[in-house]
């Protein structure tokens, strides 16, 4: 009788404490079980409940349940004690066949209201087919320990990909014994750009059926790889040391002559098998506006205002989002009218890396200032990328923007002398009225007159000679300026120096990612100007071939390739030391100086 009274007061207390709090009814069970083996299906409720009903489970045998247990906890929050009570209903089930099954929602009644639990998906594995006894011949084996009891697998989502197409690499540890790892050496990912996927600190063990065995598995590392070159690239094997607790029987001499089980640690060296990735080049026929993007992307564009006054800023905003190598896509080109002053774009990225790929967005804002009134047009913006699923190039095109610019305050200025390559400052021409001088006149003798003298003759000859020399140099300059490729080549070093000055400022600010990006832009821009190859067509292979054609030494070529690779990998690698960034900066300046002395046009 006292048990019933106690249970009544306990349930009343639970009901009182749960009054006013949100009711939660959760189901839990293992993600994977073995056919013919028992497991627990539990439902947890944070209130008093009754009439729990579980769904029909044709693929499972209900051996027992529900058994009820109650737990209580109290904590102080803001000086007040808050109590929490949970009631757990447990069922013992046994699966009758293999496969993946869903346990539907269960229901329970709380205060005359029905609540539903979550549904569960359970994978039922086949029985373990343990291989015949036989000891592993590797170092530190033990009786009863099979060669396949511990494994390390490197699992790749794809082995045939396009250049810059992301694929997932997963390292999973498999064990049938009580084992752990030490001295973990994952393989190097040479030839790939790597983006690590953040895994939870408390790694969860699950069961998995592999090669006829049921293993306890845990995922140790996941990475997204972007191949940076074509051909067959092999990811080498990793090396690991597994520490396995092996149970032994040691007889203890005592008056009872008992046997006690003891364990000892056994060391086993294991490896993950290498994998070869076949990287295909992107198909021919790249669009003119190809951005280097590989994946699936969307583009949105907007104009801050289509009606402004002269000398007021207008902004074109481009938002590129999707899945793929979002970080590496080039900024779409925006063509503004000639009389607009255009500034460097502002770029913001919001990128998240998961097992399904790199997703996010890249926002580019172009700021321009119209200097004169009129009606202008900003042509459609194009963004081209390669879709590996369809194996085709796709081009996204924005609308054409119309912009009306009114005269600024004080009216328009004088016309601007401009062409397609540069803008000149407006210059006002004028002169004062000059009056005749009537005072201070002195007559000169014939001997004092300059006319007819040697100096007088030289005043004619010297300007004539200077004019001829100037004319020859001027015609030569015009001829050279007409060759735009030659002009870009001559200005390559000057442009690279400006970029490196910006990189130097970022180095002092210790802005790692922006520093490496600016150095990379300086190098690619320098090579594009120096070799007269558009940046969109630049690759490491054709740069190397073109430098060989110009007779550049192999040591200097390798120095340039090493700088490019360091910049590409360092932007997404863990934080670099400041001395490494200083060294890279000095190496880049030195390499460009050597190249200027080697290639002279």
């Amino acid at each position: 009788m006292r048990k019933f009274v106690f249970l009544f007061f306990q349930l009343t207390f639970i009901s009182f404490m749960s009054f006013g709090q949100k009711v939660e009814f959760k189901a839990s069970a293992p993600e994977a079980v073995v056919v013919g083996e028992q497991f627990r299906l539990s439902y947890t409720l944070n209130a008093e409940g009754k009439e729990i009903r579980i769904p029909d489970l044709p693929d499972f045998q209900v051996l027992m349940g529900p058994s009820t247990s109650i737990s209580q906890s109290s904590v102080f929050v803001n000086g007040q004690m808050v109590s929490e009570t949970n009631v757990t209903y447990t069922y013992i089930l046994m699966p009758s066949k293999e496969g993946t099954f869903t346990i539907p929602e269960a229901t329970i009644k709380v205060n005359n209201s029905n609540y539903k639990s979550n549904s569960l998906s359970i994978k039922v594995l086949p029985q373990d087919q343990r291989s015949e006894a036989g000891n592993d011949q590797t170092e530190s084996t033990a009786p009863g320990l099979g060669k396949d009891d511990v494994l390390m697998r490197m699992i790749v989502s794809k082995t045939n990909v396009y250049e810059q197409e992301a694929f997932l690499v997963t390292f999973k540890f498999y064990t049938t014994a009580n084992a752990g790892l030490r001295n973990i050496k994952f393989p190097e990912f040479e030839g790939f750009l790597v983006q690590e996927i953040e895994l939870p600190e408390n790694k969860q063990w699950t069961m998995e059926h592999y090669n006829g065995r049921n293993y306890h598995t845990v995922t140790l590392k996941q990475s997204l790889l972007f191949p940076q070159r074509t051909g067959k690239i092999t990811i080498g094997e990793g090396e690991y040391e597994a520490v396995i607790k092996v149970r032994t029987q040691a007889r203890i001499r005592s008056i009872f002559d008992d046997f006690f089980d003891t364990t000892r640690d056994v060391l086993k060296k294991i490896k993950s098998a290498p994998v070869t990735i076949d990287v295909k080049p992107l198909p021919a026929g790249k669009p003119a506006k190809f951005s280097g993007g590989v994946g699936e992307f969307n583009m949105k564009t907007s104009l801050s205002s289509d009606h402004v006054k002269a000398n007021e800023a207008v902004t074109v905003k481009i938002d590129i989002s999707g899945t793929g190598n979002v970080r590496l896509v080039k900024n779409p080109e925006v063509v503004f009218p000639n009389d607009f002053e255009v500034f460097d774009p502002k770029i913001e990225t919001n990128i998240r890396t998961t097992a399904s790929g790199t997703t996010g967005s890249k926002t580019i804002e172009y700021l321009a200032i119209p200097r004169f009134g009129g009606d202008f047009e900003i042509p459609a913006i194009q963004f081209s990328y390669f879709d590996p699923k369809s194996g085709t190039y796709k081009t996204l095109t924005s609308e054409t923007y119309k912009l009306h610019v009114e005269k600024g305050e004080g009216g328009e200025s004088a016309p601007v002398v401009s062409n397609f390559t540069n803008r000149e400052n407006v210059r006002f021409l004028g002169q004062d009225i000059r009056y005749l001088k009537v005072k201070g006149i002195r007559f000169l003798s014939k001997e004092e007159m300059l006319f007819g003298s040697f100096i007088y003759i030289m005043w004619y000859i010297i300007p004539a000679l200077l004019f001829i020399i100037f004319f020859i140099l001027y015609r030569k300059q015009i001829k050279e300026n007409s060759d735009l490729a030659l002009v870009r080549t001559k200005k390559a070093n000057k442009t690279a120096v400006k970029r490196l000055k910006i990189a130097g400022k970022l180095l002092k600010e210790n802005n790692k990612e922006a520093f490496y990006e600016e150095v990379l832009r300086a190098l690619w821009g320098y090579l594009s100007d120096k070799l007269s190859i558009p940046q969109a067509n630049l690759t490491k292979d054709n740069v190397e071939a073109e430098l060989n054609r110009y007779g550049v030494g192999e040591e200097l070529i390798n120095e340039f390739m090493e700088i490019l690779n360091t910049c590409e990998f360092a932007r997404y690698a863990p934080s670099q030391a400041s001395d490494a960034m200083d060294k890279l900066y000095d190496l880049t300046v030195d390499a460009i100086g050597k190249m200027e002395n080697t290639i002279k046009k």
Side-chain angles (χ1 to χ4, degrees):
M1 182 64 183
R2 274 187 284 178
K3 290 183 179 180
F4 287 107
V5 173
F6 175 76
L7 181 60
F8 172 77
F9 280 108
Q10 189 175 30
L11 293 176
T12 302
F13 175 76
I14 294 172
S15 177
F16 174 77
M17 295 305 299
S18 63
F19 180 75
Q21 69 178 356
K22 183 180 178 181
V23 176
E24 294 182 353
F25 186 40
K26 295 182 180 179
S28 61
E31 293 181 2
V33 296
V34 179
V35 64
E37 295 186 4
Q38 301 176 11
F39 70 94
R40 294 174 180 269
L41 170 63
S42 300
Y43 294 93
T44 303
L45 179 68
N46 63 342
E48 177 191 359
K50 59 183 179 179
E51 298 181 12
I52 183 171
R53 298 182 184 277
I54 64 172
D56 292 333
L57 304 174
D59 302 308
F60 301 89
Q61 298 181 30
V62 181
L63 303 180
M64 188 184 73
S67 59
T68 305
S69 62
I70 301 174
S71 63
Q72 298 177 357
S73 61
S74 299
V75 294
F76 281 93
V77 178
N78 295 328
Q80 296 182 351
M81 187 178 71
V82 178
S83 298
E84 181 179 350
T85 302
N86 291 319
V87 182
T88 303
Y89 305 89
T90 303
Y91 295 83
I92 304 297
L93 306 183
M94 184 173 68
S96 56
K97 58 182 179 181
E98 304 170 14
T100 301
F101 306 101
T102 299
I103 297 180
E105 303 166 340
T107 61
I108 197 170
K109 184 174 290 187
V110 179
N111 296 328
N112 296 322
S113 298
N114 289 324
Y115 292 87
K116 292 183 178 180
S117 70
N118 54 296
S119 59
L120 297 172
S121 179
I122 297 180
K123 187 175 183 180
V124 180
L125 307 177
Q127 289 284 348
D128 187 83
Q129 301 173 5
R130 183 178 177 83
S131 58
E132 295 182 1
N135 293 337
D136 192 355
Q137 299 303 314
T138 58
E139 181 184 356
S140 300
T141 59
L145 180 62
K147 63 180 182 179
D148 295 330
D149 283 353
V150 287
L151 301 171
M152 177 64 76
R153 293 182 63 201
M154 177 172 60
I155 306 168
V156 297
S157 59
K158 299 177 183 178
T159 55
N160 289 277
V161 296
Y162 286 99
E163 184 179 3
Q164 293 292 344
E165 180 185 0
F167 65 95
L168 180 67
V169 177
T170 302
F171 292 89
K172 294 183 74 173
F173 178 53
Y174 291 69
T175 179
T176 60
N178 185 4
L181 288 174
R182 71 178 191 186
N183 295 334
I184 300 175
K185 294 181 181 179
F186 294 110
E188 298 291 337
F189 297 125
E190 185 177 354
F192 299 92
L193 179 65
V194 185
Q195 292 187 8
E196 300 292 343
I197 297 174
E198 187 175 352
L199 297 177
E201 294 184 3
N202 297 325
K203 296 180 172 58
Q204 299 296 320
W205 289 81
T206 60
M207 289 191 66
E208 184 176 328
H209 191 79
Y210 175 70
N211 281 349
R213 301 290 306 277
N214 290 328
Y215 291 92
H216 293 283
T217 68
V218 63
T219 299
L220 299 178
K221 177 184 176 74
Q222 283 189 318
S223 304
L224 276 179
L225 303 187
F226 296 83
Q228 301 297 299
R229 64 171 186 261
T230 59
K232 295 185 180 296
I233 307 178
T234 299
I235 304 175
E237 60 184 18
E239 297 181 353
Y240 320 88
E241 289 184 358
V243 180
I244 309 164
K245 291 191 177 296
V246 179
R247 179 173 296 177
T248 59
Q249 285 189 337
R251 184 166 181 174
I252 307 296
R253 296 289 182 179
S254 69
I255 57 174
F256 301 103
D257 199 24
D258 289 334
F259 289 88
F260 297 92
D261 288 339
T262 60
T263 60
R264 65 185 181 94
D265 291 340
V266 174
L267 180 65
K268 181 177 180 180
K269 294 183 179 180
I270 57 178
K271 297 181 179 182
S272 56
V275 176
T276 299
I277 308 297
D278 186 6
V279 183
K280 297 175 290 186
L282 298 181
K286 295 179 181 177
K289 301 295 183 181
F290 180 60
S291 65
V294 177
E296 296 183 38
F297 298 97
N298 296 308
M299 181 180 72
K300 294 181 181 179
T301 62
S302 62
L303 183 68
S304 60
S305 177
D306 59 1
H307 196 103
V308 295
K309 293 182 179 181
N311 299 317
E312 287 184 356
V314 63
T315 302
V316 175
K317 183 178 180 181
I318 306 171
D319 186 71
I320 298 170
S321 60
T323 301
N325 58 342
V326 185
R327 286 185 182 273
L328 304 181
V329 296
K330 299 177 183 177
N331 299 333
E333 181 183 3
V334 180
V335 180
F336 289 94
N338 285 333
D339 294 331
F340 281 47
E341 184 178 357
V342 183
F343 298 87
D344 289 338
K346 175 185 177 183
I347 302 172
E348 293 183 357
T349 56
N350 182 17
I351 297 173
R352 185 168 59 95
T353 302
T354 64
S356 58
T358 298
T359 60
S361 62
K362 184 176 184 180
T363 303
I364 308 105
E365 293 186 4
Y366 288 90
L367 179 69
I369 299 178
R371 295 305 185 188
F372 302 93
D375 291 316
F376 301 93
E377 181 180 285
I378 300 176
I381 304 167
Q382 291 186 334
F383 175 76
S384 298
Y385 66 95
F386 179 74
D387 184 358
K389 290 185 178 179
S390 61
T392 59
Y393 292 98
K394 295 183 179 180
T395 300
L396 306 176
T397 305
S398 72
E399 61 179 301
T400 299
Y401 291 108
K402 305 287 186 180
L403 180 61
H404 177 72
V405 180
E406 295 182 352
K407 296 181 181 179
E409 296 182 0
E412 285 191 356
S413 304
V416 171
V417 180
S418 63
N419 55 33
F420 292 103
T421 58
N422 55 38
R423 299 180 180 85
E424 297 178 0
N425 292 330
V426 178
R427 286 179 287 188
F428 297 96
L429 301 179
Q431 60 182 6
D432 295 333
I433 298 175
R434 301 171 187 254
Y435 299 94
L436 295 174
K437 295 182 179 180
V438 295
K439 295 181 180 181
I441 298 175
R442 188 175 69 90
F443 294 98
L444 299 175
S445 66
K446 184 178 179 181
E447 290 75 14
E448 292 178 319
M449 292 188 64
L450 185 63
F451 180 78
S453 65
F454 176 77
I455 296 176
Y456 177 79
I457 296 172
M458 293 303 296
W459 271 106
Y460 280 94
I461 294 176
I462 292 175
L465 291 175
L466 291 176
F467 176 77
I468 293 171
I469 295 172
F470 173 78
F471 182 76
I472 294 172
L473 293 177
Y474 179 71
R475 291 298 300 268
K476 182 180 178 182
Q477 186 68 32
I478 291 176
K479 185 177 180 180
E480 289 180 353
N481 289 342
S482 64
D483 188 351
L484 296 179
L486 182 60
V487 173
R488 289 181 58 195
T489 301
K490 288 186 174 182
K491 293 183 178 179
N493 184 52
K494 186 182 294 184
T495 305
V497 168
K498 290 181 180 179
R499 290 286 186 191
L500 289 175
K501 285 183 179 179
I502 299 174
K505 293 180 181 178
L506 296 171
L507 175 62
K508 293 179 180 179
E509 297 171 0
N510 200 25
N511 191 340
K512 180 184 76 72
E513 183 174 345
F515 167 76
Y516 285 112
E517 185 173 351
E518 197 63 40
V519 173
L520 196 62
R521 289 171 64 184
L523 279 181
W524 281 120
Y526 174 78
L527 292 172
S528 173
D529 293 340
K530 200 68 178 176
L531 303 178
S532 299
I533 300 175
Q535 286 199 36
N537 299 333
L538 277 181
T539 63
K540 294 178 184 177
D541 293 335
N542 62 16
V543 165
E544 188 172 352
E546 196 71 12
L547 291 177
N548 282 321
R549 190 172 70 83
Y550 278 101
V552 179
E554 183 176 352
E555 182 179 353
L556 184 55
I557 294 175
N558 292 335
E559 193 171 339
F560 262 82
M561 296 299 108
E562 182 181 353
I563 295 172
L564 290 172
N565 291 330
T566 302
C567 290
E568 289 177 351
F569 291 121
R571 285 187 299 169
Y572 313 109
S575 297
Q576 302 290 321
S578 59
D579 56 344
M581 295 167 65
D582 290 334
K583 183 179 179 182
L584 178 70
Y585 182 82
D586 296 337
L587 186 63
T588 304
V589 175
D590 182 62
I592 291 178
K594 292 179 182 176
M595 190 66 72
E596 283 295 303
N597 295 329
T598 304
I599 302 179
K600 297 182 178 179
K601 292 189 178 181

